[in-house]
Amino acid sequence: MKPVQLRSLFAASALFVACSAAFAADKPQVVILATGGTIAGAGTSVANSATYQAAKVPVDKLIAGVPELKNLADVRGDQVFQIASESFTNEHLITLGKRVAALARQPDVDGIVITHGTDTLEETAFFLNLVLKTDKPVVIVGSMRPGTAMSADGMLNLYNAVAVASSKDSAGKGVLVTMNDEIHTGRDVAKTVNIKTEAFKSPWGPLGMIVEGKTYWFRAPAKRHTSGTEFDIDKLDKLAPVDIAYGYGNATPTAYRAFAQGGAKAIIHAGTGNGSVSGAVVPALQELRGKGVQIIRSSRVVGGGFVLRNAEQPDDKYDWVVAHDLNPQKARILASVALTRTTEAKELQRMFMEY
């Protein structure tokens, strides 16, 4: 080969390398934080979609199992926990929140995906929505079937989560949840069934959807979140102890008194209908409020319980709080965070209406 041809070849190679580097630099940088759950689970056969062991597959294998991710972003992974989500504690929430906040501050991170078990995914999503001060996309994803099952949903869910985290349109919308091709706000979404891939629903509908790696948006969150929050994960080292007591026919005060004796600073009443409280329970809740325990009325109604203040019970008179449209488990999360800043029922009520 002649010297001129060699120089031309070298120049073309250099240009290719430079263009490739520029293309790579233009790709969004997405970090996947893995915590375990069904998306990292494995069954003994392809027929096992409901019986399996969660939290078995490490994050590097999850990423390797979806090679198409490289078409969306430069992806790297970090194994934060490897647990089933029913074992998540307040300490896990704080550890994860601080890790996400630190990543969000890095200029080389454009979006963050968190793989999570579905049992408490909605609680973690709401917690992060309350305490992260960032506009960068934070997306939580799980699966209803382990990767070893026929029609496993984890691969596509993870692909969609990275697509959402990579999209500039996702910025400023708070913590998001992607499941079954839908995009939900972490505030609203809840697990509504335990054996179907369309398990996650929001009472007011999804924010949008993902089709073949592209996001389509239909609405935006109305409540305060992330960059607009008054809470800050960097100033949180401990959450207030809050418990949930279930309302039902023939209810007694036993659980409420036990939770208070155990140190609960607030008790979420998961009431029937509009957060109704049995006549046999009301005196005990009045007594506990007089001792400083916050009483927060929520509704156990699936898919859209909405508790109106001073309806069913005279909340103003009793100095109780209503959870608005938050289900009992999300009410627990907000109360646990809010009680680190105030012990006034009126302030708590403001927070429940704004968040």
Side-chain angles (χ1 to χ4, degrees):
M1 187 176 288
K2 294 180 180 180
V4 173
Q5 291 175 311
L6 282 172
R7 285 196 295 272
S8 297
L9 180 61
F10 289 148
S13 298
L15 180 61
F16 175 78
V17 171
C19 289
S20 298
F23 177 74
D26 287 341
K27 276 188 178 182
Q29 306 294 304
V30 174
V31 178
I32 298 177
L33 298 179
T35 69
T38 299
I39 197 169
T44 57
S45 81
V46 296
N48 293 133
S49 62
T51 55
Y52 54 86
Q53 286 188 303
K56 289 295 179 183
V57 182
V59 66
D60 56 338
K61 288 190 177 181
L62 285 179
I63 294 172
V66 192
E68 293 78 10
L69 293 177
K70 67 179 182 296
N71 299 325
L72 300 172
D74 283 337
V75 175
R76 64 182 189 270
D78 182 12
Q79 192 77 47
V80 185
F81 311 121
Q82 187 67 297
I83 59 176
S85 70
E86 66 268 21
S87 296
F88 252 67
T89 65
N90 287 350
E91 289 72 27
H92 287 113
L93 289 175
I94 289 175
T95 297
L96 179 61
K98 290 182 182 297
R99 179 71 180 122
V100 175
L103 283 171
R105 287 192 292 268
Q106 294 181 198
D108 63 341
V109 174
D110 298 307
I112 299 163
V113 170
I114 302 165
T115 63
H116 200 290
T118 59
D119 281 355
T120 60
L121 185 152
E122 66 198 79
E123 296 174 46
T124 298
F126 187 41
F127 173 75
L128 296 177
N129 201 52
L130 289 172
V131 301
L132 292 177
K133 289 182 174 293
T134 183
D135 279 332
K136 291 183 179 180
V138 177
V139 184
I140 305 186
V141 64
S143 73
M144 295 304 298
R145 297 171 178 164
T148 52
M150 290 185 286
S151 299
D153 55 328
M155 286 180 63
L156 182 56
N157 285 350
L158 182 58
Y159 179 81
N160 286 342
V162 173
V164 174
S166 302
S167 173
K168 293 181 180 178
D169 292 339
S170 304
K173 292 183 170 68
V175 174
L176 304 169
V177 173
T178 59
M179 294 283 291
N180 200 45
D181 301 333
E182 294 180 334
I183 308 169
H184 294 266
T185 168
R187 180 198 183 271
D188 294 348
V189 76
K191 185 176 181 178
T192 60
V193 66
N194 65 329
I195 55 173
K196 294 183 179 181
T197 55
E198 67 270 26
F200 281 77
K201 301 293 182 183
S202 295
W204 320 122
L207 301 183
M209 61 187 299
I210 317 105
V211 180
E212 296 183 351
K214 181 174 175 56
T215 58
Y216 297 86
W217 300 90
F218 304 110
R219 69 181 184 94
K223 299 290 187 175
R224 290 178 68 177
H225 60 77
T226 53
S227 58
T229 186
E230 65 196 89
F231 310 115
D232 189 346
I233 186 61
D234 290 321
K235 297 178 182 178
L236 272 179
D237 293 312
K238 189 176 181 180
L239 298 180
V242 178
D243 287 299
I244 302 171
Y246 207 75
Y248 55 92
N250 201 49
T252 70
T254 304
Y256 304 88
R257 295 188 189 280
F259 284 139
Q261 287 182 339
K265 300 300 182 185
I267 297 174
I268 309 299
H269 169 69
T272 53
N274 186 21
S276 305
V277 186
S278 163
V281 172
V282 169
L285 298 192
Q286 290 178 283
E287 176 190 333
L288 293 176
R289 181 68 195 104
K291 294 179 179 179
V293 178
Q294 297 289 344
I295 304 300
I296 302 170
R297 292 196 301 121
S298 182
S299 175
R300 73 179 202 186
V301 173
V302 176
F306 195 109
V307 181
L308 296 174
R309 187 167 181 82
N310 294 315
E312 295 290 345
Q313 292 295 328
D315 298 297
D316 288 346
K317 178 181 177 181
Y318 294 161
D319 200 30
W320 291 354
V321 175
V322 298
H324 193 33
D325 64 326
L326 293 177
N327 64 27
Q329 55 269 35
K330 295 202 179 206
R332 184 193 75 85
I333 292 292
L334 178 52
S336 294
V337 174
L339 283 168
T340 65
R341 293 180 60 90
T342 184
T343 57
E344 296 294 325
K346 287 184 179 180
E347 264 295 276
L348 289 174
Q349 188 64 78
R350 174 188 66 79
M351 292 170 180
F352 268 91
M353 299 308 292
E354 292 182 7
Y355 293 92

